[in-house]
Amino acid sequence: MKVIICGAGQVGWQIARHLSGERNDVTVVDSNPDLVRRATDTLDVQGIAGFASYPDVLDKAGARDADMIIAATYSDEVNMVTCQVAHSIFAIPRKIARLRSQSYLTAIYSDLYRRDHLPIDVVISPEKEVAEAALQRLSAPAAFDTERFLEGGAQLLGLTIDEHCPIINTPLRQLSDLFSTLRSVVVGIRREGTLFAPEPRDQIFAGDACYVLVHADDIQRTLEIFGKAQRKQERVVVLGGGNVGLAVARALETRADRIRAKVIEKDRAAAERAADALERTIVLHGDALDTALLREAGIGRADAVLCVTDDEKTNLLAAVRAKAEGCPMAIALINDPTLVPLMEPMGVDAHINPRATTVSSILRHIRHGRVRSVYSIGDAEAEVIEAEVLSTSSIAGRMIREIEFPEGVLVGAAMKDGEVVKIRGDLRIEEGDRIVMFALAKDVPEVERLLQVSIDFF
């Protein structure tokens, strides 16, 4: 597949990294020659320095025979014009645009993106995706990472293992004997900085970070087995009243369990906008690092604090300060992956990576055919892929134990006839089933080959 990626920032670079690693023909376009050079020096891609919305620049990038264009520059308007040019002049079949402004995303204006208006096939909103990720983190406070699959019937939980975990030093194959009815699978383990797909003989040790795929009905039991207490969220303090913080607060107001939230925003104009938009949420104007203001917001009585300001270092420090004031759960929005190792020693419980969230959303639409969902783990180290099994797939009609999956691939969940079933070696995968697999980055191309969804269904 031939893909043009407009924008060589963190999101564009990560998408290029994924697609070039899967032997696609990728060209990166950016007005900053240094970013183009970084992409061409580190990835197997071609690079064009220039403005993505200019027809001659897209022509040089190979737009005349491209299959897809992904407009992920920092400008909404450039992304929109790029898709228009790609459609009107070059007839590129599939166009994806990243749009940040909430005005462009309002449902009443969605008619704007019709093919005879602004022909954008998929609109990705980073703020919306990040807000949804934040709400998922709040729904599973014992996990440092979480994502839903199979229409909510299964959930990925990232769990940090401590010395009090009841199942440490236990081979994974014994867990099936000890908990025969438990519908959960450990699909990935990060140990001393290295992520791998475990084998049945592997054990879980204190200090490991485990990725577990769990049936939705077995989440509470799984958390108990891994020594995690599930705390009910009743009071939440949101630090940052921008687009992300506002979206989270709005969602909390509409929930049936009526979580009480307070928002702290440093910028007065943004605080006033948030106060006008929210009905039951108290908005405080001030610095998220101000201890007196945190106490006024009731941080010591809160069940969780969500730090989503525009400054990731402020988010990290505010999370630490909130924990020091007695808040049991702190979640921070962090863009820079080099800051993530600081979380554990600083006592921050979980983080949201806007780049990884946006990349996962774009990948979901790139793997268009029978792939229903893609979630990127870590620094693009692995993916969790949900896909429908085709009759032409080599895995159709075979039991899981008979399928020669690569070493870095594990099946963690499956749905048959609308029901999520327990993963066993003798489970037969049939046409129309939906399966969820953990795959290390190097094994993703082989997974797509097994599913036979790569080029035939784009």
Side-chain angles (χ1 to χ4, degrees):
M1 182 171 64
K2 187 170 184 178
V3 184
I4 299 173
I5 300 173
C6 302
Q10 290 295 337
V11 169
W13 187 88
Q14 287 287 359
I15 292 295
R17 175 179 170 185
H18 277 274
L19 295 183
S20 63
E22 295 161 20
R23 294 185 286 277
N24 292 290
D25 182 355
V26 178
T27 301
V28 174
V29 178
D30 199 287
S31 59
N32 186 333
D34 293 335
L35 292 180
V36 173
R37 193 176 304 113
R38 181 189 70 153
T40 55
D41 287 349
T42 57
L43 305 172
D44 183 17
V45 301
Q46 301 174 70
I48 300 291
F51 289 96
S53 57
Y54 288 6
D56 61 324
V57 172
L58 290 182
D59 202 359
K60 290 178 184 175
R64 294 191 183 278
D65 59 348
D67 301 295
M68 178 183 296
I69 189 164
I70 302 168
T73 75
Y74 289 105
S75 167
D76 288 355
E77 290 71 24
V78 169
N79 294 339
M80 295 165 81
V81 172
T82 298
C83 288
Q84 181 70 69
V85 172
H87 173 79
S88 301
I89 298 179
F90 301 108
I92 296 179
R94 192 157 178 80
K95 298 159 288 292
I96 298 176
R98 180 176 68 170
L99 301 182
R100 294 178 178 275
S101 173
Q102 295 305 296
S103 182
Y104 289 136
L105 302 168
T106 304
I108 60 174
Y109 305 136
S110 60
D111 202 39
L112 176 66
Y113 306 113
R114 276 177 23 195
R115 294 186 69 82
D116 54 345
H117 291 167
L118 268 175
I120 302 174
D121 300 301
V122 178
V123 172
I124 302 295
S125 166
E127 284 79 7
K128 181 182 177 183
E129 300 288 341
V130 170
E132 290 177 355
L135 290 167
Q136 285 199 44
R137 296 289 188 278
L138 288 172
S139 69
F144 66 82
D145 201 356
T146 180
E147 179 71 11
R148 293 187 179 93
F149 295 91
L150 301 176
E151 300 174 3
Q155 190 160 344
L156 176 73
L157 298 175
L159 303 174
T160 301
I161 307 301
D162 57 35
E163 63 273 13
H164 304 297
C165 175
I167 58 172
I168 58 173
N169 305 325
T170 303
L172 294 178
R173 66 160 60 92
Q174 288 187 17
L175 296 183
S176 299
D177 300 329
L178 293 171
F179 310 103
S180 58
T181 60
L182 185 69
R183 291 165 295 184
S184 68
V185 179
V186 178
V187 293
I189 296 177
R190 188 186 302 281
R191 181 174 297 155
E192 297 178 353
T194 300
L195 182 66
F196 63 94
E199 296 182 0
R201 65 174 182 274
D202 285 326
Q203 303 176 36
I204 296 174
F205 299 126
D208 286 351
C210 291
Y211 290 90
V212 190
L213 268 165
V214 188
H215 190 291
D217 294 340
D218 288 353
I219 291 175
Q220 183 62 43
R221 187 178 173 208
T222 300
L223 291 171
E224 292 171 358
I225 289 170
F226 280 81
K228 302 292 181 181
Q230 182 78 315
R231 300 184 296 272
K232 186 179 179 181
Q233 307 293 311
E234 295 180 346
R235 296 181 178 88
V236 175
V237 176
V238 180
L239 306 184
N243 288 335
V244 174
L246 182 57
V248 170
R250 276 176 170 157
L252 293 177
E253 282 190 341
T254 60
R255 282 174 56 158
D257 48 2
R258 295 291 296 273
I259 292 177
R260 286 178 283 180
K262 292 181 180 178
V263 175
I264 296 177
E265 170 55 46
K266 188 175 185 179
D267 181 80
R268 185 172 189 85
E272 290 175 350
R273 284 195 299 272
D276 290 340
L278 298 168
E279 296 179 5
R280 299 189 305 272
T281 303
I282 296 173
V283 180
L284 303 174
H285 171 232
D287 191 342
L289 293 174
D290 185 341
T291 302
L293 188 61
L294 287 173
R295 289 173 180 169
E296 183 182 342
I299 198 69
R301 301 187 304 277
D303 298 299
V305 62
L306 181 63
C307 308
V308 289
T309 76
D310 292 335
D311 187 326
E312 59 192 346
K313 295 182 177 63
T314 296
N315 294 336
L316 204 54
L317 292 173
V320 173
R321 182 150 288 180
K323 294 279 285 191
E325 290 295 318
C327 184
M329 175 75 181
I331 304 169
L333 187 151
I334 299 174
N335 270 297
D336 185 353
T338 63
L339 295 177
V340 174
L342 300 176
M343 284 178 43
E344 186 175 351
M346 296 176 76
V348 180
D349 300 283
H351 79 287
I352 306 162
N353 184 334
R355 180 191 64 187
T357 301
T358 305
V359 167
S360 293
S361 181
I362 293 174
L363 285 174
R364 187 180 310 139
H365 296 287
I366 289 175
R367 306 236 164 85
H368 178 54
R370 306 299 181 178
V371 172
R372 301 296 188 94
S373 183
V374 177
Y375 186 66
S376 181
I377 288 179
D379 188 18
E381 299 158 271
E383 291 181 14
V384 181
I385 301 170
E386 175 188 334
E388 181 181 335
V389 177
L390 302 170
S391 60
T392 55
S393 170
S394 61
I395 68 176
R398 300 171 65 187
M399 292 188 291
I400 288 180
R401 68 161 67 102
E402 298 172 343
I403 302 170
E404 295 181 2
F405 288 110
E407 188 176 308
V409 176
L410 282 176
V411 177
M415 177 183 280
K416 285 179 168 290
D417 300 321
E419 181 182 351
V420 180
V421 297
K422 181 177 172 63
I423 296 299
R424 308 181 312 273
D426 61 353
L427 179 67
R428 192 174 297 278
I429 303 299
E430 306 285 0
E431 176 189 356
D433 291 351
R434 284 160 64 177
I435 58 174
V436 183
M437 292 176 288
F438 171 94
L440 295 176
K442 64 180 178 60
D443 295 314
V444 169
E446 178 63 15
V447 168
E448 289 203 322
R449 189 193 66 78
L450 288 171
L451 295 170
Q452 293 189 2
V453 296
S454 19
I455 198 66
D456 296 336
F457 292 91
F458 280 119

